[in-house]
Amino acid sequence: MTQPVSRSLLGDARVWSLLLAGMTLRLAAQTVPGNFAEVPFHRLSDRSVGPLGTRALAIRSDDWKHAESAHFVYHFFQSFVAAPVSVEAEFFYTVVAKELGRDTSQWERKCHIYIFEKPADWEQFKTAGQLDPWTGGLHVSGELFIVRDPQAKWKGDTLGHEVTHLVLHRYFGPGIPLWLNEGFAEYTASRGYAAFWRARGYKARPRAQAVDPAQWIPLAELTAGTAYPVDVLKVGVFYNESERIVRFLSGVDKAGFQRFMEALAQGNRFDTALSKGFPGKFSDLAALERAAKDYATREHGTAIQDR
Ligand SMILES: [Zn+2]
């Protein structure tokens, strides 16, 4: 349902951009499935399937279908399952590219997305690689593997998270630290879905849960981690806290955050990247920790609304 728009609101550039975004999305929703034409594998513009992709396509190999959109190649079993994925994937691609201030014209090769439907197929496949425990998606070296239940009405909000990993990998390579990769994916997904729903006339705001101060993971530990926490209860805190740190730093200085991210992806130590991205802002890790913890734990126990 579209909200009535008052005259004064029409003067607001943000309202216009939201309305335009809504129109673009509606247009995309109408046109993409029509354009979402199945093509034989050999007709795809990008056929560079990785080792895991090869393994995926070997499962019920005769049943896989293929298609592509501007930035992605899709491998799937049924078009009506894959077409909405393509709308969302392109939407999130745009959100991430904009957030990172990247020029999309440099994107040449396409990322491959494999869409499973049957849990049995997924179980058969899911034997290697880094399974993201939060979303159940699998992202390996620029390829994304997901499961979509054709019967489920609500498809969940994890695709934006996973597509963000793909785009980050494409722009920054494999060097992004785990906390930053997950934190940025959560941050983008929450912002992106709020925009997705706002564009459809719903009053959606990005929401995130404040971190329980008692469960705070010290930044030295969080930022040094190369694997997900072993303790399952800590996994949620790991994602949530990482997201809050990303949101905090991006809010301090967006361009600085991009420099910081680039430095980390290139292998800089955390404090070096911090001084490159935010010169003079935080004297050391302890100073950042105090400010970030204050921000991230504020209003713990209530859902907080973001700027
Ligand atoms: Zn993830």
Side-chain angles (χ1 to χ4, degrees):
M1 208 170 66
T2 309
Q3 306 284 334
V5 181
S6 75
R7 195 169 280 275
S8 60
L9 273 178
L10 284 172
D12 183 337
R14 260 188 91 232
V15 171
W16 273 112
S17 69
L18 285 175
L19 287 171
L20 282 173
M23 282 158 64
T24 310
L25 273 170
R26 275 188 208 103
L27 207 62
Q30 284 161 12
T31 56
V32 169
N35 291 339
F36 191 80
E38 186 194 328
V39 294
F41 184 86
H42 71 270
R43 293 255 317 276
L44 289 172
S45 66
D46 186 318
R47 297 181 293 280
S48 47
V49 168
L52 267 187
T54 304
R55 193 182 302 187
L57 295 179
I59 296 169
R60 295 204 281 129
S61 58
D62 291 344
D63 297 341
W64 284 101
K65 297 181 168 78
H66 317 277
E68 61 189 291
S69 63
H71 301 98
F72 301 92
V73 169
Y74 309 90
H75 308 281
F76 55 93
F77 292 103
Q78 301 186 82
S79 292
F80 82 91
V81 176
V85 171
S86 76
V87 177
E88 255 185 85
E90 288 293 343
F91 173 79
F92 276 98
Y93 168 76
T94 309
V95 170
V96 178
K98 201 173 154 209
E99 186 71 31
L100 296 174
R102 293 285 163 141
D103 175 10
T104 58
S105 63
Q106 63 191 271
W107 191 297
E108 291 177 348
R109 270 193 50 205
K110 295 189 179 186
C111 281
H112 289 242
I113 300 181
Y114 302 79
I115 307 162
F116 288 79
E117 291 178 18
K118 294 186 176 174
D121 293 344
W122 180 246
E123 286 304 316
Q124 193 184 336
F125 167 73
K126 196 181 68 174
T127 50
Q130 191 177 41
L131 184 69
D132 193 332
W134 191 252
T135 65
L138 183 63
H139 167 245
V140 182
S141 309
E143 294 192 298
L144 174 61
F145 306 87
I146 58 170
V147 191
R148 284 255 153 152
D149 177 0
Q151 312 301 328
K153 263 196 174 152
W154 168 241
K155 306 295 185 191
D157 57 2
T158 60
L159 189 68
H161 177 109
E162 296 298 343
V163 166
T164 303
H165 285 322
L166 276 189
V167 182
L168 284 183
H169 184 274
R170 177 50 56 100
Y171 284 145
F172 293 98
I176 296 184
L178 185 65
W179 75 271
L180 183 56
N181 210 347
E182 296 302 352
F184 189 80
E186 283 294 281
Y187 168 69
T188 311
S190 69
R191 288 172 72 89
Y193 280 108
F196 201 79
W197 292 115
R198 271 200 307 266
R200 284 163 168 77
Y202 294 93
K203 280 186 185 169
R205 280 174 172 274
R207 275 167 180 271
Q209 201 70 36
V211 179
D212 180 352
Q215 296 193 312
W216 182 258
I217 303 169
L219 284 194
E221 187 186 329
L222 183 88
T223 59
T226 52
Y228 298 101
V230 182
D231 180 352
V232 188
L233 295 174
K234 255 188 153 182
V235 171
V237 182
F238 173 83
Y239 278 83
N240 202 9
E241 187 175 319
S242 299
E243 190 272 347
R244 295 271 97 194
I245 305 295
V246 166
R247 191 177 294 266
F248 172 72
L249 287 174
S250 180
V252 169
D253 178 357
K254 211 180 187 76
F257 177 74
Q258 289 168 12
R259 287 196 303 274
F260 166 77
M261 199 160 183
E262 212 137 38
L264 280 176
Q266 286 164 1
N268 281 187
R269 286 203 319 266
F270 188 88
D271 50 353
T272 309
L274 198 61
S275 62
K276 282 183 180 172
F278 305 93
K281 284 259 166 59
F282 307 104
S283 52
D284 55 12
L285 190 63
L288 169 66
E289 178 126 33
R290 276 192 301 276
K293 187 176 178 181
D294 178 54
Y295 172 82
T297 58
R298 202 178 298 156
E299 297 181 48
H300 170 66
T302 56
I304 53 176
Q305 294 195 337
D306 292 291
R307 291 179 287 258

